[in-house]
Amino acid sequence: MQKYDFDTVIDRSGNYSSKWDELKKMFGRDDLLPMWVADMDFMSPQPVVDALVKRAKQGIYGYTSRPESYFESVARWMKKRHNWDVKTEWMIYTPGVVPALSFIINAFTYPGDKVLVQQPVYYPFFRVIEDNGRRIVNNPLIYKEGRYTMDFDDLEEKVKDRRIKLMFLCSPHNPVGRVWTKDELIRLGRICIDNNILVVSDEIHHDILYPGVKHIPFASISEEFALSSITCTAPSKTFNLAGLQTSTIIIPNTAYYDIYRNFIKRLQLLRNNAFGLVALEAAYTHGEEWLDQLLEYLDGNLRAFTEGIEKDVPQIKVVKPEGTYLVWLDCRELGFDAHQLNDFIIDKAKLAFESGYWFGHGGEGFQRTNIACPRTYVNEAVKRLKSAVESIK
Ligand SMILES: Cc1ncc(COP(=O)(O)O)c(C=O)c1O
């Protein structure tokens, strides 16, 4: 067994990394510890690096096509990690999940139509909806005793609006870290299907799970659910490949598949990046050992972070995630409004987190951090939060 090292600090600066090189642009200063955008400060699995180096060394980067083995590697992964039987003919390559959400909106709705989201949620959902001239309908999550759940009564009421055509389901949920149970997904799916709402299940975080937690792909629940949904996946969160812009959209309903495919054909988006395709196949074929070790390391990071915050910064509550390497922090006890909290985290704690209010209703007073980094950063973040909070007293 190859033992991977997640402790080594790798200098990412000067590499056009959004997380490190956009600090000044995003947060107004560049002396912050960056724990924001959802990528990892770890190297991808060695077999992925080796495959990319081998491809790069060939030195010819002309047009490439996706072999059948590319899609088969996705299918094998879904079966092995999520017990989901996916046919390769349901899959379409797309350069990213967020672009796919935009294509879906354009392909399946008309201007003025409405899309359901569950705030606080990954905020590019809002941009995709509004930039395309559609409207957001919020089915807010319920936060009670440190845990988020879905509000089905509210959902039953909201779906009476016939202009709602889609639901963007975030599963696992960014930023609150819930991995939805089968019962929750069944209740949600039933309501959407009965009201002709197409469920778009963004499952990009599906592989990042803490011990004992199981992710249920929405479409794996039943044939009816599969035919009433579109699943968005990618190896980008799992293997830290976001910069290679390679994702897979899974559409078991052939009529929906044709609608989506025709839309991306109209955009002439049929070609792929030569490196993305190599990385995806290498990751899904040879990356499992690395992933299992990563998950252990992330669990250790989560414990170190949670224990540190509980001991040294009890005014901040960690909302315990079941999945994702993102951690949602309830900072309301500090008594700041959303903007004061933001300034406090940046100027006093010298940390680059993401402001809770960016994630919509219910995010005020919260911050989202990212623990996919060497443990020294996690411990440093606790230290910085501790001294910042002490400075208020
Ligand atoms: C829920 C969710 N969907 C999509 C994305 C981004 O996907 P892509 O980079 O493939 O557009 C992210 C990244 O953080 C995410 O958290």
Side-chain angles (χ1 to χ4, degrees):
M1 187 177 92
Q2 177 166 8
K3 181 87 182 91
Y4 285 98
D5 165 24
F6 298 101
D7 278 322
T8 299
V9 168
I10 300 168
D11 182 8
R12 296 180 64 187
S13 61
N15 209 8
Y16 308 115
S17 129
S18 307
K19 197 191 230 168
W20 287 81
D21 290 346
E22 285 183 19
L23 284 173
K24 180 110 182 124
K25 184 174 132 202
M26 290 297 295
F27 300 92
R29 54 195 298 166
D30 50 21
D31 57 349
L32 310 177
L33 180 62
M35 297 175 75
W36 62 294
V37 68
D39 74 14
M40 307 198 261
D41 291 314
F42 304 130
M43 251 176 75
S44 289
Q46 195 59 43
V48 175
V49 177
D50 292 343
L52 287 170
V53 169
K54 186 169 166 224
R55 180 69 187 82
K57 279 190 169 158
Q58 196 209 24
I60 299 174
Y61 311 120
Y63 292 116
T64 54
S65 46
R66 288 173 294 276
E68 196 51 26
S69 59
Y70 169 95
F71 292 110
E72 282 162 1
S73 73
V74 181
R76 273 199 312 276
W77 186 262
M78 294 302 169
K79 179 65 185 167
K80 181 117 194 270
R81 299 297 294 197
H82 304 295
N83 196 26
W84 183 23
D85 287 301
V86 184
K87 294 201 169 75
T88 53
E89 59 263 33
W90 299 346
M91 298 177 192
I92 306 191
Y93 157 83
T94 306
V97 167
V98 174
L101 298 175
S102 183
F103 305 155
I104 291 166
I105 286 210
N106 281 282
F108 292 93
T109 70
Y110 292 104
D113 280 347
K114 299 181 183 177
V115 182
L116 271 165
V117 296
Q118 295 175 308
Q119 295 177 3
V121 74
Y122 181 58
Y123 49 88
F125 283 6
F126 317 150
R127 283 208 294 266
V128 165
I129 297 167
E130 292 181 330
D131 289 353
N132 283 297
R134 276 61 166 179
R135 291 175 284 171
I136 297 168
V137 178
N138 183 25
N139 166 225
L141 296 175
I142 298 169
Y143 181 51
K144 210 167 139 201
E145 288 159 17
R147 185 176 163 84
Y148 282 86
T149 51
M150 294 188 191
D151 187 342
F152 294 108
D153 294 333
D154 177 78
L155 185 61
E156 295 269 18
E157 274 307 304
K158 299 266 162 74
V159 295
K160 290 178 183 158
D161 182 343
R162 293 290 138 205
R163 290 302 298 266
I164 298 175
K165 296 295 188 307
L166 301 177
M167 161 139 216
F168 282 173
L169 170 66
C170 198
S171 175
H173 190 96
N174 167 9
V176 310
R178 277 299 316 280
V179 177
W180 304 114
T181 63
K182 191 167 183 181
D183 286 347
E184 286 171 315
L185 294 171
I186 289 175
R187 262 185 98 175
L188 174 122
R190 195 66 274 143
I191 296 170
C192 289
I193 293 168
D194 289 347
N195 289 279
N196 295 317
I197 294 168
L198 174 60
V199 177
V200 181
S201 192
D202 177 346
E203 303 190 8
I204 196 166
H205 294 280
H206 61 175
D207 292 316
I208 309 294
L209 304 169
Y210 293 100
V213 181
K214 205 171 143 24
H215 166 76
I216 313 277
F218 179 86
S220 72
I221 288 173
S222 69
E223 193 183 356
E224 185 189 25
F225 276 41
L227 294 175
S228 311
S229 63
I230 295 178
T231 303
C232 302
T233 75
S236 48
K237 300 294 161 204
T238 311
F239 297 106
N240 209 22
L241 304 173
L244 291 175
Q245 299 191 290
T246 302
S247 63
T248 309
I249 309 308
I250 303 175
I251 314 180
N253 183 318
T254 44
Y256 293 163
Y257 183 97
D258 289 344
I259 292 171
Y260 182 86
R261 193 181 146 78
N262 284 339
F263 183 79
I264 59 167
K265 198 160 152 253
R266 263 170 46 208
L267 300 176
Q268 301 306 318
L269 250 180
L270 302 169
R271 289 264 172 217
N272 52 263
N273 177 290
F275 291 101
L277 104 92
V278 168
L280 176 143
E281 198 170 333
Y284 282 148
T285 309
H286 305 292
E288 196 164 21
E289 186 181 56
W290 179 91
L291 175 62
D292 288 334
Q293 292 177 33
L294 169 80
L295 294 181
E296 244 179 69
Y297 191 84
L298 289 176
D299 185 42
N301 272 3
L302 180 61
R303 270 186 280 125
F305 188 66
T306 308
E307 284 163 18
I309 294 287
E310 278 171 2
K311 180 169 150 287
D312 292 336
V313 205
Q315 301 85 341
I316 295 178
K317 304 281 176 286
V318 174
V319 178
K320 193 174 180 308
E322 297 162 336
T324 84
Y325 49 67
L326 308 165
V327 182
W328 189 234
L329 301 171
D330 181 349
C331 306
R332 291 174 302 171
E333 225 181 287
L334 295 174
F336 296 130
D337 69 26
H339 294 277
Q340 286 168 335
L341 176 61
N342 213 26
D343 294 346
F344 173 77
I345 296 290
I346 297 169
D347 294 324
K348 290 281 184 296
K350 304 270 173 56
L351 291 165
F353 287 178
E354 298 202 19
S355 305
Y357 69 89
W358 295 356
F359 297 82
H361 177 85
E364 309 80 5
F366 290 74
Q367 292 273 313
R368 190 195 80 175
T369 186
N370 174 348
I371 57 163
C373 52
R375 193 146 312 149
T376 46
Y377 294 178
V378 169
N379 294 332
E380 177 64 23
V382 175
K383 224 165 90 192
R384 291 187 187 198
L385 284 170
K386 179 175 190 266
S387 69
V389 170
E390 279 171 357
S391 76
I392 312 172
K393 289 176 195 159

